[in-house]
Amino acid sequence: MESKKKIFTTAPLPFMGQKRKFLKQFKPALKGYSPTATYVDLFGGSGLLSHTVKAHYPDAKVIYNDFDNYRERLLNIGKTNVLIADIRQILTDAPKDKKVPENVKKTILERVAQEENKTGYVDYVTLSSSILFSMKYVQSLEQLKKETLYNCVRQSGYDATGYLDGLEVVSKCYKELFLQYKDLPDVVFLVDPPYLSTDVGTYKSYWKLKDYLDVLQVLDGTKYFYFTSNKSSIIELCEWIETKTPMSNPFNGHNECYS
Ligand SMILES: C[S@@+](CC[C@H](N)C(=O)[O-])C[C@H]1O[C@@H](n2cnc3c(N)ncnc32)[C@H](O)[C@@H]1O
């Protein structure tokens, strides 16, 4: 008998900006779109939206753009579980969510250094969520050494079994992927770019205002889901532009002075 497939409601490994809290609204909104369409997740991040579409529409073609190489983290989940299990052991007597004493920190740093030497791979994002203050992330052992550690380690291991099943995984800039699909029939784009005015510290590129505005071009004449936050000013900006058109650049002919 075939066992029931697990549907993830959260990304299997920590990922800042994953759309966990949006799924409640996303799932009913999906009903307005075809179960056999092609869904292109331009800013795939953890792949949670791609996974959700495939889980609800098994016959849909779903393209997950893994720009950050989240796959590598998933592939190494076994090593990460071993490392985190050892850290959990080291922290046995340390109170939960409290600062880790210096001598215990030293033991943890030694264990992480050993992992780097032995396996050549450490998932610093997952490690950060286990031993750093909420929302704080490091990318290397050197950075970790400078931080105060906290005992936020999970009691169980991570599991990603079946998470990417049925997805077509690519890794490229969203602009290239968009061009590839924009003229094909029955395509729905999932558009979840890094937010304006929020921390994008764990992503691999830095986004300027122009980058945020460029994304809006993929919405022109296409079927899409656009995700944004009430901390982002992009909708407000678009509404402002709508009321002030025709626009010209008020800075034309200006002299630039920067301090
Ligand atoms: C808000 S996150 C997406 C989160 C995702 N929907 C989830 O649920 O996990 C935005 C993602 O866009 C990625 N990104 C940044 N620049 C990109 C580009 N030029 N093309 C594609 N993705 C990009 C970031 O690295 C980040 O993973």
Side-chain angles (χ1 to χ4, degrees), residues 11 15-20 41-50 65-68 163 172-175 192-195 202-205 207 227:
F15 188 90
M16 201 199 243
Q18 61 169 293
K19 286 299 150 305
R20 179 163 59 91
D41 192 359
L42 291 174
F43 300 90
S46 68
L48 187 61
L49 294 175
S50 295
N65 188 15
D66 181 17
F67 189 70
D68 302 76
Y163 181 67
K172 53 183 80 173
C173 175
Y174 80 91
K175 291 182 184 175
D192 182 19
Y195 293 157
T202 57
Y203 303 156
K204 73 177 189 190
S205 54
W207 273 50
F227 295 78

Side-chain angles (χ1 to χ4, degrees), residues 5-43:
K5 270 185 79 105
K6 175 174 175 185
I7 300 182
F8 291 76
T9 51
T10 180
L13 288 169
F15 188 90
M16 201 199 243
Q18 61 169 293
K19 286 299 150 305
R20 179 163 59 91
K21 292 192 180 135
F22 284 64
L23 292 187
K24 235 173 138 178
Q25 291 143 281
F26 180 55
K27 286 183 215 164
L30 255 182
K31 291 203 178 103
Y33 294 83
S34 165
T36 54
T38 298
Y39 291 82
V40 185
D41 192 359
L42 291 174
F43 300 90

